[in-house]
Amino acid sequence: MAVAHDENELRQIEAELHTEILPGTEIMADVGEHHFVKGSHRTVLVPQPSDHPDDPLNWSTPWKLACIVSASMVTFTQGFGPLALAPAFPALMEAFSCSLADAVQFTGVCILVLGFSNFVWVPISTSFGRRPVYLLSQVINFGTSIWRAKATSYGSFMGACVVNGIGAGPAETIMPAVIADIFFLHDRGKWNTLYWVVYMGSLMVGPIINGAMVETVGWRSFWWFNTGLLGLSFLMVVFMFPETRYPREYVPTAATSPAASSTEKNQATHNDEVDVEQEKIQHVPTANSVLPSTEEGLSREETAARDPYLGKGKPSKGQWGLFQKNAHPFKSILMDLWIPWKLFAFPIVEFASFVVSWSCSSFLTLNLTQSQAFAARPYNFKPLSIGFMNFAVLVGAFIGLFTAGPLSDWISARSTRRNNGIREPEMRLPAMIPYIIIMYLGNIIVSVGYDNHWPWEAIVIIGYTCAGIQVAAIPGIVSTYAVDSYKPVAGSLFVSITVNKNVWGYGFSKFITPWSEEAGFVPPIMTNASLILLWCLFTGLFWWKGKTFRRWSRNSKVHRM
């Protein structure tokens, strides 16, 4: 919730609101005499920023944009290479004398390793910061890209894929943590959707460029181009990405300390002869607070507890170091190794993991089948043309970007106003409904179109675009819901999601090619689509009972990390 001053104030708020404040429940308006730091449009800022200029929540817009641009570049370049191979499968089959199923494993094995590598990257991120993870991982990716360009055997190229999977892991976990570090709750929906568009967009743009380069200058040239992008990204992190991990004092919520009854409070006050006026929290009435003047160099934003650095802060010198000091690194690393597995026991994390996993596998289906479908009769398309088809997926992803985040934020804000200023994470879930319909429609068009040799325009323009829309929207909404519920462990949460997603992705890559060759495209693609629909149908349950599920874990230590 919006950070209150102490446990007593939380109890007072619960009593005034007649509601239970659980982790994830946010107070988005002043309550009686309780006032919170606000941004523009009287929006309560969650989490409440500290009064330090180097707090990432206080950083100016240019500094936040520099961070998010450089983080986006890392995410893009780490996803760009591993799943760009689809149009090059024929060329790789010829170069390494292997079958199509063997070539597909270049992608599948990399995906599998990529997911589990985050059991290394996230503990480093939590213990020593986001910055060292980005720097080290990009050095590894830079080396593997050169390795791929110079590989002369199937085993060598596969080895590069494995190491590349290790280096590319942060693409799936660190940027959501950065977003939670520097942006407030009311803006988080669109930034998390941006993350999914950047990451999935890299998987869409990669095949486009790879297909063009395979046909014109050869598949090795693509990896030299990839090497250049990784080098640029490394420099951007060095000069544009200060450390965003910021230690915050844990403030207990009413959920972790059940409120005492009013009778008990009155009795305690009477027995201890505590003056009522001294017991109350000192508040500045918002309506009467004096706005800072322009001479002070502060923006004219309403604030109850004046934060002089809100929107004006900047990174400190220490935040540009190679890593942040940690007094107990081994303890925090061990905790981070355990937390992702613990989170699997939480229904909300399990729900998000399954929805994200299968939604992303819908895009993976296109990546793994497009050469198989369009390089054969009656299409006989070359790698260049097959690669260009991914433009439709990219357009769809941008549609998802510009609609899903703002839609989920708007629905949440509207429901919050109707709920007297109390926001629950579940309020954004109804925004998934149109994208679930789009997802299923797109899979029907692609699978039936492949098997019946429909005109490529219908398959690509409608089917591929629907795939792009849903893969940006559905994971963005449901992962934001999970982060809103368990923000202190956002990194570990994405490890849980990523492991689940990539294990399924690896399995799918193993059996989709022989299955589609034997039974056609409809059985594997529609089986996968029906599984996505099944997990998404649980949205109704979590919209209805999500707060109950959060109550089960209200006393968990994950809320104090």
Side-chain angles (χ1 to χ4, degrees):
M1 59 165 288
V3 177
H5 292 83
D6 66 9
E7 190 175 302
N8 185 50
E9 183 173 16
L10 289 166
R11 292 173 178 176
Q12 292 176 22
I13 291 173
E14 275 197 321
E16 290 188 44
L17 294 174
H18 304 290
T19 190
E20 185 180 17
I21 302 173
L22 297 172
T25 301
E26 309 293 354
I27 310 299
M28 304 299 291
D30 291 336
V31 180
E33 295 180 344
H34 307 273
H35 300 276
F36 305 100
V37 177
K38 298 183 183 69
S40 57
H41 310 296
R42 300 177 63 89
T43 303
V44 170
L45 300 179
V46 178
Q48 292 276 276
S50 67
D51 57 357
H52 298 287
D54 58 353
D55 184 343
L57 292 171
N58 281 331
W59 287 353
S60 64
T61 298
W63 275 116
K64 290 188 177 185
L65 287 178
C67 278
I68 208 65
V69 167
S70 51
S72 297
M73 186 63 173
V74 172
T75 299
F76 181 87
T77 55
Q78 291 188 354
F80 181 76
L83 266 75
L85 296 178
F89 283 156
L92 294 173
M93 291 163 60
E94 181 181 350
F96 301 128
S97 301
C98 63
S99 66
L100 175 59
D102 291 335
V104 168
Q105 287 311 293
F106 288 138
T107 297
V109 170
C110 187
I111 290 173
L112 181 65
V113 175
L114 192 152
F116 283 94
S117 72
N118 282 295
F119 281 104
V120 175
W121 293 121
V122 169
I124 295 175
S125 169
T126 304
S127 299
F128 303 107
R130 327 299 188 203
R131 183 172 161 86
V133 169
Y134 276 164
L135 292 172
L136 179 58
S137 63
Q138 288 300 66
V139 169
I140 293 173
N141 291 319
F142 187 85
T144 59
S145 188
I146 296 174
W147 184 357
R148 289 215 205 202
K150 298 175 74 67
T152 56
S153 67
Y154 182 90
S156 178
F157 196 85
M158 180 62 79
C161 292
V162 171
V163 181
N164 189 188
I166 296 173
E172 297 199 329
T173 55
I174 305 303
M175 187 171 167
V178 171
I179 290 170
D181 288 340
I182 66 177
F183 292 112
F184 296 104
L185 175 70
H186 64 277
D187 279 334
R188 210 173 285 161
K190 62 174 177 283
W191 292 112
N192 273 318
T193 305
L194 172 66
Y195 158 69
W196 283 107
V197 170
V198 169
Y199 181 59
M200 301 310 295
S202 70
L203 313 185
M204 301 165 194
V205 172
I208 296 172
I209 296 177
N210 194 17
M213 297 187 73
V214 166
E215 191 166 327
T216 55
V217 293
W219 64 268
R220 294 183 188 276
S221 296
F222 169 80
W223 292 104
W224 289 117
F225 173 70
N226 186 62
T227 302
L229 287 179
L230 290 165
L232 174 62
S233 173
F234 178 84
L235 293 176
M236 289 177 69
V237 173
V238 170
F239 295 107
M240 295 173 59
F241 188 86
E243 183 55 57
T244 63
R245 185 179 69 88
Y246 192 81
R248 298 187 184 281
E249 181 180 354
Y250 169 67
V251 178
T253 66
T256 57
S257 300
S261 67
S262 58
T263 303
E264 292 171 331
K265 287 181 182 178
N266 293 337
Q267 185 66 37
T269 303
H270 174 74
N271 292 341
D272 296 335
E273 299 181 353
V274 179
D275 184 81
V276 174
E277 294 302 319
Q278 292 178 345
E279 184 180 352
K280 286 186 177 180
I281 305 298
Q282 293 291 327
H283 297 293
V284 181
T286 302
N288 299 327
S289 61
V290 180
L291 294 175
S293 65
T294 54
E295 286 79 6
E296 293 177 290
L298 301 174
S299 57
R300 295 179 62 81
E301 296 175 326
E302 265 195 305
T303 176
R306 287 175 53 182
D307 176 6
Y309 299 108
L310 184 62
K312 300 294 181 180
K314 63 180 181 179
S316 66
K317 184 178 179 180
Q319 288 169 316
W320 288 101
L322 287 178
F323 64 91
Q324 302 298 301
K325 294 181 180 180
N326 187 338
H328 306 286
F330 295 108
K331 180 180 178 181
S332 61
I333 288 173
L334 289 174
M335 285 294 295
D336 281 320
L337 290 173
W338 161 241
I339 290 299
W341 300 108
K342 180 178 180 177
L343 290 175
F344 274 126
F346 296 178
I348 291 173
V349 177
E350 198 72 19
F351 167 61
S353 296
F354 275 70
V355 171
V356 171
S357 299
W358 269 263
S359 176
C360 291
S361 72
S362 181
F363 166 73
L364 181 63
T365 299
L366 306 186
N367 186 276
L368 298 178
T369 59
Q370 56 186 211
S371 284
Q372 184 180 351
F374 287 122
R377 293 180 179 180
Y379 303 107
N380 296 316
F381 287 132
K382 295 184 179 297
L384 178 64
S385 300
I386 295 173
F388 282 161
M389 290 176 181
N390 289 279
F391 273 119
V393 191
L394 186 62
V395 169
F398 278 107
I399 294 174
L401 169 64
F402 290 114
T403 58
L407 176 63
S408 68
D409 284 340
W410 177 79
I411 288 176
S412 294
R414 183 169 177 266
S415 298
T416 300
R417 288 193 296 272
R418 291 183 171 185
N419 198 37
N420 298 318
I422 309 302
R423 174 175 290 189
E424 306 288 359
E426 291 77 21
M427 289 177 176
R428 69 174 67 249
L429 291 178
M432 290 176 60
I433 294 173
Y435 303 105
I436 296 171
I437 297 171
I438 289 171
M439 174 278 299
Y440 209 71
L441 175 64
N443 277 276
I444 292 173
I445 292 172
V446 170
S447 60
V448 176
Y450 277 171
D451 273 352
N452 293 278
H453 305 303
W454 285 2
W456 69 266
E457 293 89 346
I459 299 172
V460 173
I461 295 175
I462 301 177
Y464 280 28
T465 301
C466 287
I469 293 172
Q470 69 88 25
V471 84
I474 293 177
I477 294 170
V478 75
S479 63
T480 302
Y481 167 52
V483 170
D484 287 351
S485 301
Y486 300 102
K487 188 268 175 187
V489 288
S492 295
L493 188 153
F494 269 85
V495 174
S496 302
I497 292 175
T498 299
V499 168
N500 197 74
K501 173 173 69 70
N502 289 19
V503 168
W504 171 249
Y506 173 73
F508 203 48
S509 73
K510 290 286 286 185
F511 63 69
I512 188 171
T513 300
W515 189 1
S516 59
E517 288 175 344
E518 177 183 346
F521 290 101
V522 171
I525 292 177
M526 290 313 300
T527 297
N528 187 70
S530 297
L531 286 170
I532 304 171
L533 180 62
L534 172 64
W535 310 134
C536 287
L537 288 177
F538 281 94
T539 300
L541 174 64
F542 281 84
W543 178 79
W544 179 41
K545 288 293 185 180
K547 189 165 186 175
T548 299
F549 297 141
R550 286 188 287 121
R551 185 179 297 115
W552 294 350
S553 61
R554 64 184 177 181
N555 295 320
S556 174
K557 291 182 180 179
V558 300
H559 298 296
R560 300 189 292 275
M561 297 185 69

